[in-house]
Amino acid sequence: MIEFKAVSKTYNGKVKALDNMNFTVGDGELVGFIGPNGSGKTTTIKLLSGVLTPDKGTIKVNGFDVGKEPLKAKASIGYIADNPDVFLRLKGIEFLNFIGDVYKTPADERRKTVEDLAERFELAGALNSPIISYSHGMRQKLMVIAALMHKPKVWILDEPMTGLDPKSSFELKALMREHTKQGNSVFFSTHVLEVAEKLCDRVVIIKKGHKLYDGTLAELEKRNKDKNLEDIFLELTGKK
Amino acid sequence: MNVFLQLIKITGSSVEPSLDEKKRSKIFGVVMGILVTLLIFIPVITIVGFMVYALTNGLATLGSRDSVSAGLSLMLHIVALFSVVFGFSVVMSVFYFSSDLEYLLPLPISPMKIIGAKLASTMITENVMECLLVFGALLGFMIGYGFDPPSGGGLNAVSFIAGIIGLLTFPVVPICYCAAICLVVMYFSRFFKNKDRVSRLTAFSSIAVLLVLVLALNLSGGFDTNRFVEQLINNDIGLVKVLDKVFINVPLLSKAMAGSFVSLLLYILVNAASVAVVLFLASKLYLKTVIALGSCEGTAKAAETEKDYERLFKESSQLMAYFKKEMKILVRTPAYVTNCFGINLIWPVFIYLFVVLQKRSNILGSYIEKLRYGDSEVVLYATLLVFGTSVILTALNCLASSAITREGKHFEVMKYMPVPIMTQLNAKALVSIVVSGAGLVVYIVTAFAILGIDFRFIIFSVLLSLLSVIFSTYLGIYIDSMNPKLIWEDEVNALRGNYHVFYNMALEIILTAVVCAASIGLFKLDFLPVVIIQTLILGLAGVLSLEFYNLCKKKGVENIKKIEM
Ligand SMILES: Nc1ncnc2c1ncn2[C@@H]1O[C@H](COP(=O)(O)OP(=O)(O)O)[C@@H](O)[C@H]1O
Ligand SMILES: [Mg+2]
């Protein structure tokens, strides 16, 4: 469960990145967050994960206020940032173990998740090498495994498909769906329309820090009968 | 040429604070700048200057125009040696591990230009501290030589021009040595799997070379100024002879300072030639070595992974997990290894030098004797020595004052992990306390045990040392939390371009100075017996530990929460 209420965020007191943003993601819901570059997606996601603090508004994750009970809120999030280059000097397995300790995941649970997912992502052979030797896609997959070890109630991903090969991208989408099936919330940003179209229960469309649309894509299409999704999207976000 | 300047700016950008950083800490920066100048720069210049002055004076009265600059040469050789030892890790990380390479390499810029720019920015980074030493040495020489010239000599216009040129260009040859060695070593280690290991190995061997050279000074007979000057005049010191060949720039600059125009021309020529050699090597070797880098680092060992699932999935507390992560990253990053750990190995060398230098007069011997019998004045000095060394060593390895800066672009992780910020700071503090504390305890216990000093004093010293390390650590972390420099291209810049390291050092030096002055004052005025003063110092270290811990817990954590990248 994610509740984002009347949130505004300004950078350096000048750049207004988010203006009175509202949305919710329910339990068992998979929501896509769509918008052109620079529209405020990463800002929103960083506010959710506690990396940034909002100027105004309240953000709740799994019922915990991110500002008031940050540790509980953060513990219930699995977060995948837009850049997977962290702690490059650690080996893959060491990073996973570190994250396991940090999120207080029992050892056998870590093991189960890692064995299962490393197999699915074909990463098992690389886990004993330093992350610096991984490709972008491999790093991204490592982050996915790390984020899922503690079975987060809320899974947040920032542009997760970037750099993934078709098989990995397929596996990731399947994982997102499985995770929602288990009653968790999944919220991910993308600027690629097709991804959202196939995957999401609902989409939130954002432009220049304002919410433009919140609902299913089917309904959006119904409202604009004679146009295809891409045209609608371009129109909404003012590129046409 | 335009591209070149642009490149220098890019590769050196991480050294300069950003405009925003500048604004935020303007007043603080000015105040600290003044303190740093007063406390570090001026003493350094004075000490180095005085040493050269004394030697030059001795030489001027005894020797001829040719040998008068031998003292200056000796000092410059030492500076050059240190530049090579410390420059090595800088060059290695700027050439090979800097994150701007990813963007620079694909651009249509010749490797010569890239290396040229990187070389220039390295020299600028390195120049600050080196300039001070060289300035002190040159000044000392000019005073010693100018006021009391030997027959047929004296300062002339050439000396002044050489002084200015020398001040600006002195790091060129040492850094070119580092660069050339780096390029060649990396070329031949292309076939090794782990580049980090190669660079770490080379860095450590350069420290080892320094150790051997210091030992080779062979002053075991004790230091006698007159004999030493005599040896200098006759050019009779083996080490100096070797160094004169290694750093040809040094004798040339010294002779130019004594007024030789030909030497000045040769000096300029040598500098130009060394840059040319590096650029030539770069054009041949650089691309071949740098491209292979990322892919070479450790290949997957699929077979081992299976077993490691068992071994590695052991649970630890958040604090320990974070501590282990920090240590692993430190130990695996060449720049941190040399600058944060290596420094702990370097300073026993100075102690050795000191012990050797005073052997003839044997001041230390009588002090140690007094310490054994518990002479109260000497006990106080020993206590203050333990206190000061612990505080300053902790500041010197900059583990604490770069604790947050080192996070760099990963800073966000501190924010989104469900770990209280204070726990993270404690883990970082633990790193500094363990590394500095372990080194100190080992040194203190072995030194005092060998000298046969009362075990109660040893226990007291260990306790005092640890408490001093603790408060010094939390102070360092707090200072870094005020305005950490999170944008840097390579790890060296996280340490060198980080003014907090200097600020922290300045503060710790003031603190030590105040404590020393107060204690000695109290003792000399017969206000308090030594035991009470010792207790007070220990108490102070304890109170400061608590205070600075609380400062981190309240203000430090708040500072970090406020930082947004
Ligand atoms: N650290 C920052 N400082 C200043 N402005 C920023 C910063 N990060 C993002 N912005 C601005 O905020 C807006 C939203 O950026 P972002 O959330 O990253 O967009 P998106 O992820 O949708 O591409 C942009 O106009 C961007 O320029
Ligand atoms: Mg983004």
Side-chain angles (χ1 to χ4, degrees):
Chain A
M1 181 79 169
I2 299 172
E3 294 161 272
F4 213 77
K5 270 193 215 134
V7 176
S8 298
K9 175 71 191 173
T10 318
Y11 284 109
N12 313 323
K14 273 175 277 173
V15 188
K16 189 128 201 173
L18 273 191
D19 195 7
N20 198 25
M21 185 72 180
N22 288 285
F23 68 89
T24 55
V25 180
D27 290 339
E29 216 181 359
L30 206 173
V31 174
F33 191 34
I34 313 177
N37 296 331
S39 53
K41 303 186 294 295
T42 298
T43 307
T44 306
I45 283 178
K46 282 185 176 172
L47 285 163
L48 274 172
S49 60
V51 171
L52 300 175
T53 352
D55 306 341
K56 268 200 325 230
T58 49
I59 303 166
K60 279 190 183 172
V61 173
N62 196 26
F64 301 113
D65 189 310
V66 177
K68 292 194 186 111
E69 293 177 287
L71 293 181
K72 283 183 182 159
K74 288 174 194 174
S76 46
I77 296 176
Y79 170 55
I80 297 189
D82 53 353
N83 179 4
D85 303 335
V86 289
F87 306 139
L88 300 182
R89 304 256 173 203
L90 296 185
K91 294 174 182 172
I93 195 96
E94 289 170 342
F95 175 74
L96 292 174
N97 214 29
F98 169 65
I99 294 293
D101 286 335
V102 158
Y103 284 85
K104 298 178 179 161
T105 315
D108 51 330
E109 252 174 70
R110 295 179 206 177
R111 223 193 114 133
K112 245 185 270 162
T113 318
V114 172
E115 274 175 344
D116 171 31
L117 292 185
E119 230 28 76
R120 276 173 81 169
F121 279 139
E122 297 173 343
L123 204 62
L127 284 182
N128 216 18
S129 312
I131 303 176
I132 201 165
S133 68
Y134 289 17
S135 71
H136 179 86
M138 288 162 84
R139 291 175 193 182
Q140 187 74 4
K141 290 189 270 190
L142 185 71
M143 294 303 135
V144 172
I145 300 175
L148 288 182
M149 277 193 307
H150 68 291
K151 306 218 164 19
K153 292 296 292 174
V154 172
W155 190 13
I156 303 169
L157 308 91
D158 197 354
E159 311 257 1
M161 306 299 171
T162 320
L164 291 188
D165 58 31
K167 175 166 189 295
S168 308
S169 163
F170 172 82
E171 289 290 355
L172 178 58
K173 285 182 228 164
L175 272 177
M176 283 158 75
R177 229 174 276 125
E178 285 165 30
H179 204 66
T180 28
K181 285 244 172 63
Q182 290 157 11
N184 305 306
S185 319
V186 176
F187 182 67
F188 74 101
S189 75
T190 181
H191 58 272
V192 185
L193 207 56
E194 286 77 28
V195 177
E197 196 179 348
K198 297 209 184 83
L199 201 60
C200 300
D201 299 323
R202 201 152 57 79
V203 293
V204 174
I205 299 180
I206 182 179
K207 179 197 163 190
K208 288 192 181 152
H210 292 275
K211 189 170 82 174
L212 290 184
Y213 178 77
D214 187 344
T216 61
L217 280 172
E219 199 183 304
L220 188 65
E221 256 177 317
K222 222 190 283 168
R223 272 201 230 160
N224 305 271
K225 272 210 178 96
D226 41 338
K227 293 174 202 149
N228 67 22
L229 262 180
E230 190 168 10
D231 286 333
I232 301 168
F233 180 67
L234 288 175
E235 220 164 81
L236 265 177
T237 55
K239 289 283 162 72
K240 204 172 184 180
Chain B
M1 207 55 198
N2 207 359
V3 178
F4 185 68
L5 288 179
Q6 208 67 19
L7 273 176
I8 294 183
K9 233 172 160 182
I10 294 169
T11 47
S13 64
S14 29
V15 184
E16 291 272 314
S18 74
L19 216 63
D20 199 40
E21 281 175 315
K22 262 184 198 157
K23 245 189 296 174
R24 258 193 287 170
S25 59
K26 203 166 185 184
I27 300 167
F28 180 72
V30 170
V31 172
M32 292 313 288
I34 294 169
L35 284 180
V36 167
T37 318
L38 288 178
L39 286 166
I40 300 177
F41 294 175
I42 292 178
V44 166
I45 292 176
T46 316
I47 292 169
V48 171
F50 183 76
M51 281 159 84
V52 174
Y53 166 78
L55 282 174
T56 308
N57 225 355
L59 289 162
T61 43
L62 289 171
S64 63
R65 199 184 133 169
D66 283 339
S67 59
V68 72
S69 57
L72 176 63
S73 285
L74 184 68
M75 184 56 73
L76 290 180
H77 276 314
I78 294 172
V79 176
L81 259 180
F82 272 88
S83 313
V84 170
V85 171
F86 282 97
F88 197 84
S89 62
V90 179
V91 168
M92 191 61 112
S93 64
V94 169
F95 280 19
Y96 288 100
F97 297 97
S98 161
S99 60
D100 56 15
L101 285 175
E102 227 173 291
Y103 311 103
L104 285 179
L105 290 178
L107 297 177
I109 307 173
S110 70
M112 241 160 98
K113 269 196 185 137
I114 295 182
I115 284 297
K118 282 180 171 292
L119 206 58
S121 73
T122 309
M123 280 172 197
I124 295 167
T125 327
E126 282 294 273
N127 218 346
V128 181
M129 202 60 196
E130 211 167 285
C131 242
L132 287 178
L133 298 173
V134 175
F135 180 71
L138 295 183
L139 198 69
F141 174 77
M142 283 178 142
I143 295 172
Y145 186 58
F147 286 130
D148 201 1
S151 49
L155 291 176
N156 57 19
V158 174
S159 314
F160 286 98
I161 298 170
I164 293 167
I165 293 179
L167 198 59
L168 294 177
T169 58
F170 192 74
V172 170
V173 171
I175 294 296
C176 281
Y177 266 114
C178 293
I181 295 171
C182 270
L183 284 165
V184 172
V185 166
M186 287 309 254
Y187 182 74
F188 285 111
S189 67
R190 268 187 310 170
F191 314 105
F192 289 93
K193 275 202 186 113
N194 193 329
K195 297 281 170 184
D196 273 359
R197 202 163 294 159
V198 174
S199 85
R200 219 176 312 152
L201 228 111
T202 329
F204 264 113
S205 19
S206 63
I207 292 181
V209 168
L210 183 79
L211 284 177
V212 170
L213 284 175
V214 167
L215 293 175
L217 258 175
N218 196 17
L219 294 167
S220 44
F223 187 78
D224 175 2
T225 324
N226 291 333
R227 214 188 73 203
F228 191 66
V229 167
E230 216 164 279
Q231 282 180 321
L232 271 178
I233 292 173
N234 303 327
N235 194 9
D236 201 21
I237 299 173
L239 180 64
V240 176
K241 274 189 208 160
V242 175
L243 287 177
D244 272 346
K245 299 274 179 328
V246 177
F247 300 113
I248 345 171
N249 62 326
V250 168
L252 289 175
L253 179 61
S254 299
K255 292 219 172 78
M257 287 297 296
S260 158
F261 184 62
V262 180
S263 298
L264 180 59
L265 284 184
L266 284 173
Y267 173 79
I268 296 170
L269 206 70
V270 165
N271 276 298
S274 57
V275 173
V277 168
V278 169
L279 290 183
F280 173 75
L281 281 175
S283 68
K284 294 278 177 250
L285 306 180
Y286 185 56
L287 281 187
K288 276 182 206 144
T289 50
V290 76
I291 282 172
L293 200 66
S295 57
C296 277
E297 227 161 316
T299 28
K301 284 173 257 164
E304 268 179 45
T305 312
E306 215 55 48
K307 287 178 274 168
D308 281 340
Y309 281 165
E310 292 291 348
R311 188 166 59 87
L312 283 166
F313 281 91
K314 267 190 254 147
E315 292 170 41
S316 7
S317 69
Q318 287 184 330
L319 181 74
M320 282 321 287
Y322 205 98
F323 171 73
K324 279 190 267 179
K325 178 219 95 182
E326 290 275 314
M327 284 304 262
K328 277 179 190 151
I329 292 177
L330 281 168
V331 171
R332 290 176 193 173
T333 310
Y336 296 151
V337 171
T338 40
N339 286 287
C340 301
F341 296 122
I343 202 120
N344 286 6
L345 300 176
I346 289 274
W347 70 273
V349 175
F350 287 104
I351 294 184
Y352 169 79
L353 267 181
F354 175 71
V355 170
V356 166
L357 284 176
Q358 59 79 51
K359 216 167 197 169
R360 179 67 64 106
S361 49
N362 203 14
I363 315 166
L364 207 59
S366 63
Y367 273 120
I368 289 165
E369 201 57 26
K370 282 182 184 163
L371 187 59
R372 271 197 209 125
Y373 294 112
D375 176 282
S376 47
E377 185 171 2
V378 176
V379 165
L380 178 65
Y381 291 154
T383 305
L384 291 175
L385 186 72
V386 168
F387 177 81
T389 318
S390 310
V391 171
I392 289 167
L393 174 80
T394 311
L396 209 61
N397 67 25
C398 52
L399 280 168
S401 52
S402 70
I404 295 145
T405 299
R406 283 200 310 267
E407 291 291 321
K409 291 166 191 158
H410 306 164
F411 176 72
E412 280 185 8
V413 182
M414 283 186 83
K415 292 262 191 122
Y416 71 70
M417 277 192 313
V419 182
I421 304 275
M422 193 55 199
T423 308
Q424 303 189 35
L425 293 187
N426 280 333
K428 287 169 181 296
L430 199 56
V431 171
S432 161
I433 293 167
V434 166
V435 175
S436 315
L440 280 161
V441 167
V442 169
Y443 288 139
I444 289 175
V445 171
T446 31
F448 285 180
I450 289 171
L451 298 175
I453 283 155
D454 187 8
F455 79 97
R456 278 169 303 184
F457 187 73
I458 301 184
I459 292 174
F460 168 79
S461 301
V462 167
L463 207 63
L464 176 63
S465 170
L466 287 180
L467 282 177
S468 312
V469 168
I470 291 174
F471 84 71
S472 180
T473 294
Y474 279 104
L475 176 61
I477 291 181
Y478 173 69
I479 289 180
D480 198 29
S481 82
M482 287 199 276
N483 186 14
K485 180 178 162 46
L486 296 170
I487 298 179
W488 39 260
E489 293 301 329
D490 55 74
E491 286 93 355
V492 171
N493 277 325
L495 304 175
R496 296 282 169 105
N498 183 357
Y499 296 107
H500 296 156
V501 174
F502 279 120
Y503 296 166
N504 184 40
M505 226 177 281
L507 276 181
E508 313 259 21
I509 290 172
I510 300 180
L511 212 138
T512 310
V514 168
V515 170
C516 287
S519 317
I520 293 172
L522 283 176
F523 178 76
K524 290 272 176 190
L525 292 174
D526 263 340
F527 274 163
L528 294 170
V530 146
V531 188
I532 304 279
I533 301 180
Q534 276 182 302
T535 318
L536 281 179
I537 296 175
L538 189 68
L540 178 75
V543 169
L544 285 181
S545 298
L546 228 93
E547 280 303 310
F548 289 141
Y549 174 84
N550 281 328
L551 190 66
C552 272
K553 196 166 177 178
K554 289 188 191 117
K555 293 276 167 55
V557 168
E558 213 168 275
N559 286 340
I560 288 174
K561 282 187 178 155
K562 264 189 235 149
I563 300 167
E564 294 187 343
M565 283 181 81

